[in-house]
Amino acid sequence: MQRFELFIKILEDKFKKPLPGLSSQLKMASMKRIVEGGQVKIPGNAKKAGVLVLFYPIMDQPHIVFIRRNEYPGVHSGQISFPGGAYEEADSDIVTTALRESEEEIGVDRSVVRVLGRLTDLYIPPSNFLVSPVVGYSTLRPEFCPDPQEVDRILEISFNAISDSENLTEKQIEIFPGTRITAPCYFIEDQIIWGATAMILHELTDVISSVSGFHA
């Protein structure tokens, strides 16, 4: 059995067990969020969104695709995130949302994505989104075609790098012009992954911690 195939098989088994949940996510939360209350009450008007955590092989090693969002007047301007977006009434469920939005943003044909499961929903107060992370995989490395209106660049990061504790740190991050906070983050290839994306990633690494022996 190939390395990537074995990784996915173990991951499938992991999603049959209970998730680590919010306690895992909060380990990568900013002090601002913790002070304001980690278990934020989700308002009734929260908007639903789905993001796709997509695994695929490069040289038989598991990788995940991320996007760097374009600069725009908004709270997530220029941030690194998973592909995804807002739920639409035509979507049958939030999994459909994650697949559709990913196809629109980075050009991954939804028919090649096999869904493994979902991580814990995460509420993002600044944008009032309740985000559902959908985990899936493709047996082949996708040919990405990013939407230039939404995506500045595609980032392909190995699971080895994500699971390496050496890449966990804290950074000063500008959240608004003139306003900085210190936040835990993943610092990989000179890229800062923080906020909701880092919180989702941390739960993911907790889910598959026993697979951390997969090194190139």
Side-chain angles (χ1 to χ4, degrees), residues 70-213:
N70 285 334
E71 300 286 341
Y72 68 98
V75 294
H76 302 303
S77 172
Q79 290 183 6
I80 294 174
S81 66
F82 298 107
Y87 172 84
E88 295 181 357
E89 289 186 5
D91 295 335
S92 57
D93 54 28
I94 205 66
V95 172
T96 301
T97 301
L99 296 176
R100 173 186 56 75
E101 283 283 343
S102 297
E103 187 171 55
E104 293 173 2
E105 284 190 338
I106 61 174
V108 174
D109 184 346
R110 70 189 81 178
S111 68
V112 307
V113 179
R114 301 178 189 179
V115 175
L116 294 167
R118 286 171 51 181
L119 295 168
T120 304
D121 289 354
L122 179 62
Y123 178 61
I124 306 176
S127 55
N128 194 33
F129 269 112
L130 180 62
V131 176
S132 298
V134 176
V135 181
Y137 72 98
S138 169
T139 57
L140 298 175
R141 182 183 185 181
E143 293 185 12
F144 299 111
C145 183
D147 178 355
Q149 293 186 352
E150 296 196 52
V151 180
D152 175 60
R153 61 177 291 197
I154 295 283
L155 301 170
E156 299 179 274
I157 300 179
S158 71
F159 172 70
N160 288 344
I162 292 165
S163 61
D164 186 349
S165 61
E166 292 294 319
N167 292 325
L168 288 177
T169 187
E170 288 190 346
K171 294 282 186 182
Q172 283 278 316
I173 297 168
E174 187 173 56
I175 55 173
F176 300 110
T179 302
R180 288 180 170 270
I181 62 170
T182 300
C185 64
Y186 294 85
F187 188 61
I188 304 172
E189 300 174 9
D190 294 326
Q191 303 297 320
I192 297 174
I193 304 175
W194 73 287
T197 303
M199 294 171 72
I200 292 168
L201 267 183
H202 195 273
E203 185 184 25
L204 176 67
T205 57
D206 274 356
V207 166
I208 54 182
S209 59
S210 66
V211 199
S212 58

